[in-house]
Amino acid sequence: MAKTSTTTQGLRAAIERSGYYPALVAEAVEAAVGGEPIRSYLVHQETTFDQNEVRRHVTVLVLTGNRFIVSHTDEQAADSTSPTPYATTSTESVKLGRISSVVLSRVVANPEQYTVGTLPREVVLTIGWGAVSRIDLEPAACGDPNCEADHGYTGSSTADDLSLRVSEAGDGPETVRQTLAFAQALSEATADLTR
C-alpha cells in the first residue's frame, strides 16, 4: 500500500488512540519514516507491573518499501537523576534485507474445533535482524550413561531482537488482527527480497 494521506492519518490515529504521549511518539515515528511510503504499521501500548509501580510503554512498528522501523517509548518516574517524570523514545531503522526471521506464534482455543479464519486467542510476533542474539548452552553428552569424559558444550543461538505479545483478552480483537496483518506484510516484504 502506498503512503497516502489515509495511511499516514491511520498511523497517526492509532498512535493517538493508544493515549500514550501521542505528540512525542508521532514526532519520533514520523521523523524516522521521513517521506517513505508506509506499507503497514502496528501500534501496541502495554501496561506492566514492576514491583509497586505501574509502567506503560508503547511500541510502534512501521514497514516501508525499504525499511522496518521500530519505535519504543517508556515512561520513568522521578528519581535521583531527574526531579520530574520523563519519557524516553528510541527509534531504530532496519533495512529489510537485514531481517533474518519473522516468527508468528498463534495460540488458539479448542484446536480440534478450529475453523479457517478464526482469530487466535493470542499471537506472539518475534522479529530478528541480528542486533540481539541469545545463546543457550548446556553440557554436551554422549549416549553412554557411564561415560565421564568432557564432551564440551552444545547449544543454540537465537535472533531475538523484538518480541511482541498481543492477546484478544488484553488488547482486543482488532489489535490481534492488526498484528496478523503486519506480520504477513513484513513476511511478504522480506520474501520479495529473496526472489
Side-chain angles (χ1 to χ4, degrees), residues 3-184:
K3 183 177 182 179
T4 63
S5 60
T6 305
T7 305
T8 303
Q9 289 171 355
L11 174 57
R12 170 72 80 152
I15 290 170
E16 289 175 4
R17 264 192 315 276
S18 79
Y20 188 81
Y21 308 120
L24 174 65
V25 173
E27 180 180 47
V29 170
E30 289 168 4
V33 170
E36 280 193 73
I38 296 172
R39 293 172 68 173
S40 187
Y41 61 85
L42 174 65
V43 177
H44 182 249
Q45 192 270 330
E46 185 176 20
T47 302
T48 57
F49 301 95
D50 183 19
Q51 296 178 9
N52 297 336
E53 294 183 39
V54 176
R55 293 188 182 269
R56 298 181 308 155
H57 56 268
V58 68
T59 302
V60 179
L61 309 179
V62 178
L63 175 63
T64 72
N66 300 309
R67 299 180 297 147
F68 165 63
I69 298 164
V70 181
S71 176
H72 191 78
T73 304
D74 285 300
E75 64 184 358
Q76 306 293 326
D79 57 24
S80 61
T81 63
S82 176
T84 60
Y86 60 98
T88 303
T89 299
S90 63
T91 57
E92 182 173 1
S93 176
V94 181
K95 289 183 181 180
L96 287 178
R98 286 196 48 216
I99 294 179
S100 56
S101 66
V102 178
V103 179
L104 183 68
S105 301
R106 301 167 188 244
V107 177
V108 297
N110 302 312
E112 70 281 356
Q113 299 172 5
Y114 179 80
T115 58
V116 175
T118 301
L119 201 60
R121 183 172 68 193
E122 74 178 54
V123 295
V124 178
L125 174 60
T126 305
I127 304 166
W129 59 89
V132 177
S133 293
R134 179 173 37 99
I135 298 177
D136 295 318
L137 294 175
E138 62 184 40
C142 67
D144 180 0
N146 298 318
C147 180
E148 295 181 12
D150 181 357
H151 295 286
Y153 289 89
T154 187
S156 61
S157 174
T158 307
D160 199 13
D161 296 303
L162 174 75
S163 190
L164 193 68
R165 178 185 170 272
V166 177
S167 71
E168 186 176 24
D171 303 294
E174 187 54 34
T175 304
V176 173
R177 279 187 199 88
Q178 290 170 352
T179 304
L180 293 170
F182 184 85
Q184 181 175 350

